[in-house]
Amino acid sequence: MQKDLTYKSASQVPPQEGFREAYLLHLADTTLILSQRNSEWCGHGPILEQDIAITNISLDLLGQSRNFYQYATQLINNTTNTKAAKVLPSGEDLGGATDEDKLAYLRTEREFKNLLLVELPKGDWGQTILRQYLFSQYQYLLFEQLQQHADEQLAAICTKALKEIKYHVRWSSEWVIRLGDGTTESNARMIKAIEEIWRYTGEMFIPVEYETISGIDFSALKKQWEEKIKEVFEEATLSIPEKIFMQTGGKTGVHTEHLGYILTDLQYLQRTYPNSQW
Amino acid sequence: MPDTELTKKENSSKQSETQVLPSGEDLGGAVWSVLETITDPEVPVLTITDLGIVRDVKINGELIEVTITPTYTGCPAMDMIAMNIRMALIENGFTAIKITTILAPAWTTDWMSEAGKQKLIAYGIAVPNKKFTIAADGVECPQCKSTNTKLLSEFGSTACKALFQCQDCKEPFDYFKCH
Ligand SMILES: [Zn+2]
C-alpha cells in the first residue's frame, strides 16, 4: 500500500532508478534525526560525563549523516536522467543543483525516509539508552556488511563510521546492563522503555523496495542482531518481548506524529530565513 | 609550544627573504613546509601533518591540490582545517588552491608522527596505544607513567579523546583514542 510513496511517478520510472539515492537518503535521514534527538540532552544529561557522551554520539551521527547527504547530492546532481533526479526530493523545487543543506532542511515529513525508531521522543535516560543500543547494534552489523559494498563511496563512509559505532555499542550496552540490572526503579523504567520502543525495531529488518540495492540479507541480519541483544538483555535481567506487532512506514515516508515536531525544530531557521548561512 | 613557535618564525623569515615562489620539485616541498605549520584547532599542540590528516599534495602547473582526510566522521574541525590550509597557502603566495577531502582509506592513529606523539605526551595527553584498540583501564598516565589508571568515560572533550584518571597520582587525563 505504501510502496509507491517514495516514487511519485513510479509508473514512469524504471524500478532500479533512484534506488541508490533513496537508500542514501534513508541512511542520511536516519542518522540525522537520531543525532537531533540525542542532542536534546545537551546540557541536560544525568551527569557531566554522560552529557558529553551522548552529545559526542550525536556529533558522530551528524558526521555520518553529512557524508551520506553529500554523496547523495553528488549522485543527484550528476544524474543525466531527469526522471531519476525528480523522484528524489519530490515536492520541493530544489532550483537545479541540490546540496546537503537543502536535503536536510527543505524536505518535508513525507520525504524523510528515516526509521520510525529514531524519531521517537527521547523519553527518560533509560529510553534514550535503550533506543541507542538497539540502533547502534543494528547499525554496527549493517555497516559491517556495507563495508564490502561494490559502491566504493558507500563502503568508505561505513568503514569510517564503524570505528565510532564500536564505541556507541559498548557505551549503550553497558548502560542497558547498568540500568536493567540496577535498582528496582531503574529496572522498572527499562521494562517500560522496552514496552514503548520494541514495536519500532521490526522495521529495521523489513526491507522496502529501494533497499534491494544494499544487497543485505535482512532475515540473517535480524538473527544476528537478536542474538547480540539477547546476550546483553540477559545480563541486564531484561527480556525480549515476544510476538509483538511491528510498526513500519518510516522508510517510505509514513511517520509517527513525532517527526513533524522534530523537523519544525530542525528546519525552522532555514524555512524562516531562506538561504541563510552560518 | 616553543617548538611550533620556532618553526613558524623560521618559516615566516624564509618567506620574507624570498618573495619569488620556488618552482618544480621545490614547489611541493614549499607547500609541505607551509602545511607543517598549520595546527589542529582542537588539539593545538599538533600540526595537521603530525596527525597525518594531509594525505597528498599534487602540483598541476599553477594549481596546488591538497588532499585531506578527517580524523573522525563528525569532526567539526575539518572545515576550519580546510580553511586554514587555504589561508596559509594564500599568505605564502599560492593562489590556485584545491582542497579535496577523501574518506578512504579511513584515517588511523597509526598515521600520527613520532614527533606528534612526543608533543602530545608533553601536553599531558596519553597517546594511542595498540594494546587498547578500544579505550580501557590501564592506559599509561602521561604525568607519572603509572598504568594503574581508570577509564572515566570513553567520550571526552573532543571526538578523538577519552577521559581517564590515574589511580596513583590521581590526575585526570585525556587519552587520544586508538582509531
Ligand atoms: Zn599518574
Side-chain angles (χ1 to χ4, degrees), chain B residues 11-163:
Chain B
N11 200 59
S12 60
S13 64
K14 224 187 274 170
Q15 289 306 325
S16 55
E17 280 162 25
T18 53
Q19 280 299 326
V20 184
L21 284 175
S23 60
E25 278 178 22
D26 294 347
L27 199 55
V31 172
W32 276 104
S33 60
V34 172
L35 297 175
E36 276 161 17
T37 65
I38 301 168
T39 53
D40 180 290
E42 289 191 333
V43 192
V45 71
L46 294 181
T47 68
I48 56 170
T49 47
D50 283 332
L51 273 165
I53 288 174
V54 182
R55 300 317 301 154
D56 196 21
V57 172
K58 270 202 191 89
I59 317 281
N60 226 325
E62 291 270 286
L63 183 71
I64 312 292
E65 193 177 347
V66 181
T67 305
I68 54 175
T69 192
T71 50
Y72 273 71
T73 305
C75 180
M78 274 323 275
D79 291 339
M80 193 169 170
I81 288 172
M83 191 180 72
N84 290 348
I85 291 175
R86 192 172 290 278
M87 297 305 282
L89 287 172
I90 289 172
E91 260 172 43
N92 285 277
F94 300 96
T95 46
I97 302 148
K98 188 181 171 200
I99 297 159
T100 311
T101 305
I102 55 161
L103 293 178
W107 180 82
T108 153
T109 37
D110 292 350
W111 295 345
M112 193 186 284
S113 71
E114 253 333 289
K117 285 180 187 165
Q118 293 314 311
K119 284 191 234 172
L120 268 187
I121 295 170
Y123 196 60
I125 297 176
V127 295
N129 183 335
K130 284 272 178 191
K131 246 171 69 191
F132 303 96
T133 48
I134 188 155
D137 294 355
V139 163
E140 190 181 281
C141 166
Q143 310 292 340
C144 74
K145 312 295 170 207
S146 164
T147 51
N148 179 20
T149 61
K150 204 170 160 9
L151 171 68
L152 295 184
S153 174
E154 53 259 86
F155 299 97
S157 54
T158 64
C160 56
K161 287 177 276 170
L163 191 61

Side-chain angles (χ1 to χ4, degrees), chain A residues 67-81:
Chain A
N67 283 339
F68 290 127
Y69 281 131
Q70 284 166 4
Y71 184 37
T73 297
Q74 203 184 318
L75 295 179
I76 294 168
N77 291 341
N78 287 344
T79 183
T80 49
N81 187 319

